[in-house]
Amino acid sequence: MAQRWKDWLTQAEHDLEQAASSRREGRHDWACFAAQQAAEKAVKALHLARGQEAWGHVVARLLSELPDAPPEHLIEQGRALDNFYVPTRYPNGHPEGPAYEHYGPLQSSQGLRYAGDILQFVHQALADA
């Protein structure tokens, strides 16, 4: 199996940088989505580094399927990030209004923090291997 996990991790880091940039620009919807993507790709990188395939976009499930269970608070953070996967991008993700109107500094700050925690966990797990 090719060592593509490094590519997934590098992309995750790039997505987290995009999340921070979007937050600074006041594009909190995109910051939240990019944070979710960063976490998803980082966890997929860890799966691949362990010789496993990982499918889907649910960060909490991807974390819980790791051979070494992560701390429960990271799975909870994954659940919070999972809420940013669809509704941040589509007008019909909320009862009314465009998606961007439903996200602000509180949500993007939370998203960046949670994604950062998950990337830190992945980096540590890879270093311990």
Side-chain angles (χ1 to χ4, degrees):
M1 178 182 285
Q3 294 294 314
R4 296 298 308 267
W5 68 265
K6 292 176 185 176
D7 296 337
W8 282 86
L9 186 58
T10 300
Q11 187 65 49
E13 293 164 347
H14 182 75
D15 289 354
L16 190 60
E17 291 171 6
Q18 179 59 55
S21 176
S22 292
R23 185 175 192 283
R24 284 190 302 273
E25 294 172 5
R27 298 178 183 279
H28 301 288
D29 52 332
W30 279 105
C32 291
F33 176 65
Q36 185 278 338
Q37 288 289 284
E40 176 187 328
K41 292 169 188 171
V43 178
K44 285 181 176 180
L46 185 53
H47 275 281
L48 291 170
R50 300 281 191 260
Q52 300 173 237
E53 289 196 35
W55 295 97
H57 307 285
V58 181
V59 177
R61 182 184 53 76
L62 291 166
L63 282 165
S64 67
E65 290 177 349
L66 287 167
D68 300 321
E72 184 62 31
H73 77 277
L74 286 179
I75 294 172
E76 289 301 315
Q77 289 177 338
R79 283 189 182 105
L81 288 167
D82 289 334
N83 288 306
F84 297 148
Y85 181 65
V86 172
T88 53
R89 299 176 291 144
Y90 297 102
N92 62 350
H94 296 278
E96 64 179 46
Y100 74 89
E101 289 182 348
H102 297 272
Y103 301 92
L106 179 70
Q107 291 84 7
S108 62
S109 174
Q110 179 188 61
L112 268 105
R113 186 172 67 252
Y114 292 173
D117 289 351
I118 291 170
L119 263 76
Q120 182 178 2
F121 166 78
V122 168
H123 279 283
Q124 187 61 51
L126 289 167
D128 291 345

